[in-house]
Amino acid sequence: MNEAGIIHTQQHHQLYGTSNHQVVIRLQTAANDIDSVYLIYGDPYEWSNGSWQSQKINMDLVGTDGTYDYWIKGIYLPHSRVRYGFHLISGSEETFYTERGLYSEAPTHIAPYFCLPYLHNHERFSPPNWVKDTVWYQIFPERFANGQPHLNPEGTLSWGSEEPKQDSFFGGDLQGIINNLDYLMDLGITGIYLTPIFKAFSNHKYDTIDYLQLDPQFGDEQTLRTLITECHKRNIRIMLDAVFNHSGYYFPPFQDVLEKGADSKYAAWFHPHSFPLDSRLDKPNYETFAFVGSMPKLNTAHPQVKEYLLKVARYWIEEFDIDGWRLDVANEVDHSFWREFRNQVKNIKEDVYILGEIWHHSSEWLKGDQFDAVMNYPFTDAIQNFILRGKSAVTTTHTLTRHLNSYPNPVNAVQFNVLGSHDTARILTESSNNKELVKLQYIMMFSFPGTPCIYYGDEISMAGGNDPGCRACMIWDEQQQDREMHAFVKQLIRWRTTYSAFGTYDRIQFHEVEDTDVLMYSTYTEKEVMLFVLNRGTETATIKLPEQFSNQPFNDLNTGHSLNTLRFDVKKESFLLFSSQL
């Protein structure tokens, strides 16, 4: 038995509440080392005749990442408290794992056992219920549709008349979005994520001038109210994008510091190294985002800065009833600011969605005191490493298992899943214009937990490299749209909302397949099981149905026919989806 491989830390991903009296407990053991694990648990105050009254229950092996096996069990706590430990069996070896280490026999006193003193419901991670069932559509407002040409900035180009440059303007605005809400509703979209709409100098608006004013290019406040009202009529949520890590160059307090230097009353709003400030240097003499002189970093620990930004956070919820905040460069802002941010916005609107832009592992922000979710780029990488970059199905299974087990399930359920955004090349371009591989990536994104997001235009096979190529004008001429891809995405959204095990399941199981180009997994709810088979290879693969399903009646979602064979073919660069009621 590999004792060094036995890990339980009581951190939030290995011990978390799912309701007032329900907790989930996870354990890691070395891969292929432990045959079975039993959870020993009980109320610390329940004793009889001098003996602690504990229970023993078998834990479920839910997957492996090649290094660790992952075990899980949910238990009910009548009095919201528990002491617990683990009984592990490997062949003829047995051990008992507790907070104080390993024992050859189960401790007779509760002192060594892990302890959850009390499960406080208000401290439990509780993301908004609506998010897990939402399908998002990301809009870069300057490039979606031009509904009010009279608002066009000077030098605006005709819609789609040329390839975008970093300083191009094409006149997209909020009225353009309003005019096309029925298009989004028909597609099945239930959430819109807008990149910044506040007054700014650039076309992307991530260099804010005034956080409390809508950019005149996009319309007035009444237009925004109309957009949100019309969205809510259609059961579509709206999430705005805020840049609290840094301001823009023309943000009035920064202009004051440029003019007055150390004598400016706003000097402490930023992070100057010396005066006068000089943005022309390769590395400006003040802190910025990514050494970009036009994006000076804000001092979010400064009381006045904090109050200003928190006022912004409150204002757009109170005045316009937005449903979410996407927070740019969220990992470079201090945790204390985000804790106060969460408290204030949740006090106004309890079910507002807080999404942080973080590209790496993010447990520190997802403990229930800061964000509800982050942009799930590690998941994107796992998908594209398999579909596009040749990683084997086994490696992909290990990566996904490790990723899913690094967060509590309630976090996984609301993670923001993307295949592309305004910060990345478009999915079709990443896929070397292979639309069949694009479809496989969509299948994976929609079938895993999290809230999926489509980047505007990807549903009609728009192409484009990294910024600015990925920010071209939306194509509205149906003759130039890929309507077959549009129909596929629409069908995928319909499946997601129809089948309970499609993306919002209770558990997942990966199945071994000899062909490294084929990924097969099943997902479960209490009432349904779904089987996904994806072949990214360039040849037809013959697959054997997992033995556990030999008597399970499955229907093929593509054809509507029953699966009546234990072996079936999956064509090159294609997928099969099966569903069955339990």
Side-chain angles (χ1 to χ4, degrees), residues 310-567:
L310 292 176
K311 178 182 178 181
V312 171
R314 298 189 302 267
Y315 174 76
W316 296 95
I317 300 175
E318 290 173 332
E319 295 297 321
F320 296 90
D321 195 27
I322 66 169
D323 303 292
W325 276 118
R326 186 265 190 187
L327 305 167
D328 191 62
V329 200
N331 56 342
E332 296 187 24
V333 177
D334 60 283
H335 292 286
S336 60
F337 175 84
W338 290 133
R339 292 187 183 101
E340 192 160 349
F341 174 93
R342 182 183 184 88
N343 287 336
Q344 296 211 15
V345 300
K346 292 286 187 177
N347 283 337
I348 299 169
K349 189 171 185 176
E350 186 177 3
D351 69 345
V352 71
Y353 180 46
I354 305 175
L355 171 67
E357 185 211 10
I358 301 179
W359 292 55
H360 53 81
H361 185 74
S362 309
S363 284
E364 285 302 306
W365 292 268
L366 296 173
K367 295 180 177 179
D369 61 344
Q370 296 175 65
F371 306 152
D372 294 316
V374 296
M375 299 188 74
N376 203 3
Y377 282 111
F379 176 58
T380 310
D381 289 342
I383 292 175
Q384 296 187 338
N385 283 342
F386 174 65
I387 301 297
L388 303 179
R389 302 177 190 129
K391 294 290 186 180
S392 71
V394 171
T395 297
T396 301
T397 295
H398 291 170
T399 299
L400 291 170
T401 299
R402 181 167 56 252
H403 182 64
L404 291 172
N405 282 279
S406 65
Y407 295 111
N409 287 341
V411 171
N412 289 325
V414 296
Q415 290 283 60
F416 200 76
N417 294 342
V418 298
L419 293 174
S421 72
H422 65 288
D423 285 325
T424 67
R426 285 189 176 271
I427 180 177
L428 181 61
T429 299
E430 282 286 337
S431 305
S432 301
N433 296 315
N434 186 325
K435 295 179 183 180
E436 301 310 313
L437 296 184
V438 170
K439 292 177 182 179
L440 292 182
Q441 292 169 75
Y442 270 126
I443 289 289
M444 287 189 69
M445 180 177 74
F446 271 84
S447 63
F448 275 77
T451 182
C453 181
I454 299 163
Y455 184 49
Y456 82 96
D458 281 353
E459 78 280 7
I460 55 169
S461 296
M462 286 179 60
N466 288 317
D467 174 25
C470 57
R471 302 176 182 183
C473 293
M474 177 68 176
I475 298 171
W476 289 110
D477 182 353
E478 287 194 11
Q479 299 300 314
Q480 299 181 47
Q481 294 179 347
D482 182 346
R483 299 304 296 177
E484 193 274 334
M485 182 64 77
H486 182 277
F488 169 77
V489 173
K490 184 175 178 177
Q491 178 65 70
L492 198 54
I493 295 172
R494 188 179 297 116
W495 281 337
R496 168 108 179 182
T497 57
T498 301
Y499 295 95
S500 63
F502 206 130
T504 54
Y505 50 77
D506 299 322
R507 67 183 177 93
I508 184 171
Q509 181 182 5
F510 293 99
H511 303 284
E512 291 187 11
V513 178
E514 291 184 4
D515 193 326
T516 60
D517 287 331
V518 177
L519 182 67
M520 179 163 56
Y521 52 96
S522 53
T523 60
Y524 299 81
T525 62
E526 289 185 0
K527 299 180 179 180
E528 187 175 68
V529 58
M530 295 196 70
L531 183 65
F532 298 81
V533 190
L534 287 73
N535 179 14
R536 60 103 190 266
T538 56
E539 296 180 359
T540 296
T542 301
I543 302 301
K544 182 180 179 181
L545 187 71
E547 192 171 317
Q548 69 194 75
F549 297 135
S550 58
N551 296 315
Q552 186 75 35
F554 276 109
N555 287 324
D556 187 327
L557 268 62
N558 286 307
T559 65
H561 299 153
S562 297
L563 177 64
N564 53 16
T565 177
L566 297 181
R567 300 184 74 86

